[in-house]
Amino acid sequence: MHGQASSTVRRDRFGILTFHRCINYGSYWQARCLVEGLRSIGADAVLLDHASVAIERAELRCAFRPTLPMRTPRSDFPAYARKTRTFRQAFAQLPLSPAFPLDQPETMEDYDAVIVGSDEVWNLQHPWYGGCETFYGQGIAARLVAYAASFGNQNAAWGLSDHWARRLRNFSALSVRDDNSRSIIKAALGHEPALVLDPCLQFPPPTRARASEDRPYVAVYGHGFPDWLARYVRRWADGNNYRLLSIGYRNDWADEQRIDAGPEEFAELIARAQAVVTNFFHGCVFALLNRQPFVTAPSAYRFNKVRDLMALLGTQERMVTEGTSDRDFSRLLDAPIDECAEARIVARRTQSDRYIRQALALRS
């Protein structure tokens, strides 16, 4: 109307600082689910597109030789190359900020708050991100909030030095996704952070169609499985006339190697499977999302986060050992997760939603 000033209310802008360019299904999906989930509840959020030549080289080395110290057959390199190209195409579709050097966070655009997490953003043992102070908020002028951050395989018993503890005291809100990380912060800062769900469980990706298959299969996700687990799975699959399909990595004891699967295909293959065998954290997460039977025998690197996820949701029996009986093993791979586990996920979603809305001052 003439003579009446019009005004618009500026929305707060949020940047998400995480590992969003890793050639890793879990890293990709946790980043995508967090940014899309925050947008779905009214947050103007983007992934902060940090860049580092050294880290990009490390990612590429890992992408082509992911199963070190085991040798990667040269015949697998074309499949790993296709996988890498598919990931890069997926990265380009994410809502990204303008790129900036990882070691120069002061050059990023202005944001009202920067959300650090999810993933192992505080893991000082990470092979190439470990010790990066940007993930501890150094050099970032915006208000700092952590969502579902993790110390990964950095054990609580090792403690956290004053140097890193001082960095975490600059956060206005702290939350983690596993009890190991919660114990580290409690010991270092004197108070407990909130315990929230991984973004994939908090903001589930779109439901995947369960296309029919000529022969049912079991999804194998991970690498470096112990021989005893391979024997268990092989025996059970043969007894049920299931083929074993290895996703993303070579496992010679599987019937088919789908090494070149991109992140979308990974989610679809997990959703269609009769059961899931994994030693990765997000293998468990996607089995839980699809309410599928699964077993896990996490590697030493992933033990903390898998153990704590199973304890959080009451699914500890799905962590199998060499001493697990054939009968129990079969029962676990025949039975989907129970209603109690689903109820725990729903309850944690409510708590996690309350945390993120309060931390970012979002309306319910």
Side-chain angles (χ1 to χ4, degrees), residues 17-325:
L17 187 64
T18 189
F19 301 163
H20 65 291
R21 286 190 178 273
C22 291
I23 312 299
N24 176 282
Y25 302 113
S27 290
Y28 168 83
W29 276 111
Q30 63 84 20
R32 176 174 164 181
C33 287
L34 184 54
V35 70
E36 291 183 352
L38 290 179
R39 286 177 163 222
S40 74
I41 61 173
D44 181 9
V46 295
L47 291 162
L48 296 175
D49 195 19
H50 52 82
S52 165
V53 173
I55 287 176
E56 184 175 0
R57 287 173 179 167
E59 284 289 348
L60 283 174
R61 285 195 298 270
C62 183
F64 281 85
R65 291 181 171 83
T67 59
L68 288 176
M70 295 182 290
R71 180 177 175 272
T72 300
R74 292 188 64 85
S75 58
D76 286 348
F77 287 171
Y80 284 124
R82 291 192 298 273
K83 175 182 174 182
T84 300
R85 286 195 297 271
T86 305
F87 265 89
R88 286 183 162 178
Q89 291 165 1
F91 297 153
Q93 301 304 311
L94 295 171
L96 301 171
S97 75
F100 64 93
L102 178 60
D103 59 355
Q104 298 176 34
E106 66 277 3
T107 64
M108 73 170 70
E109 288 189 334
D110 292 333
Y111 296 91
D112 295 282
V114 166
I115 303 150
V116 180
S118 177
D119 221 325
E120 300 177 23
V121 288
W122 294 335
N123 187 359
L124 300 175
Q125 310 301 310
H126 192 281
W128 48 85
Y129 280 116
C132 178
E133 297 210 352
T134 301
F135 291 100
Y136 278 76
Q138 185 70 4
I140 298 176
R143 182 165 60 90
L144 295 168
V145 170
Y147 183 81
S150 176
F151 289 89
N153 68 325
Q154 184 177 329
N155 292 326
W158 303 344
L160 191 68
S161 72
D162 289 342
H163 173 85
W164 300 107
R166 285 196 302 271
R167 300 284 185 263
L168 293 183
R169 289 191 181 95
N170 292 324
F171 281 71
S172 64
L174 289 168
S175 70
V176 295
R177 72 181 185 189
D178 53 78
D179 195 60
N180 179 70
S181 299
R182 183 165 63 171
S183 296
I184 290 174
I185 291 180
K186 182 179 179 181
L189 273 62
H191 61 84
E192 287 193 1
L195 186 61
V196 298
L197 287 177
D198 177 87
C200 297
L201 287 170
Q202 182 64 20
F203 303 110
T207 302
R208 307 285 152 178
R210 296 179 182 271
S212 60
E213 295 281 333
D214 291 338
R215 183 183 172 194
Y217 66 87
V218 174
V220 177
Y221 176 48
H223 58 76
F225 289 93
D227 290 341
W228 60 263
L229 181 61
R231 290 194 298 270
Y232 264 135
V233 176
R234 182 77 269 172
R235 187 163 61 244
W236 177 82
D238 289 345
N240 287 277
N241 196 30
Y242 292 153
R243 61 192 172 102
L244 298 176
L245 192 155
S246 182
I247 306 171
Y249 307 96
R250 170 171 290 280
N251 286 287
D252 288 328
W253 48 277
D255 299 296
E256 182 180 348
Q257 312 297 325
R258 198 70 62 86
I259 292 172
D260 59 357
E264 291 281 354
E265 187 179 2
F266 161 81
E268 292 166 3
L269 288 171
I270 294 290
R272 296 174 189 171
Q274 299 298 307
V276 177
V277 177
T278 185
N279 57 4
F280 281 15
F281 177 82
H282 279 100
C284 300
V285 166
F286 272 78
L288 288 161
L289 283 173
N290 288 285
R291 301 177 175 85
Q292 288 165 306
F294 75 96
V295 294
T296 181
S299 62
Y301 185 86
R302 297 169 177 86
F303 183 82
N304 288 338
K305 52 190 181 181
V306 172
R307 175 202 60 205
D308 290 356
L309 177 65
M310 296 300 97
L312 182 68
L313 302 180
T315 53
Q316 296 97 319
E317 68 172 351
R318 294 191 180 271
M319 279 184 65
V320 294
T321 68
E322 191 169 5
T324 301
S325 68

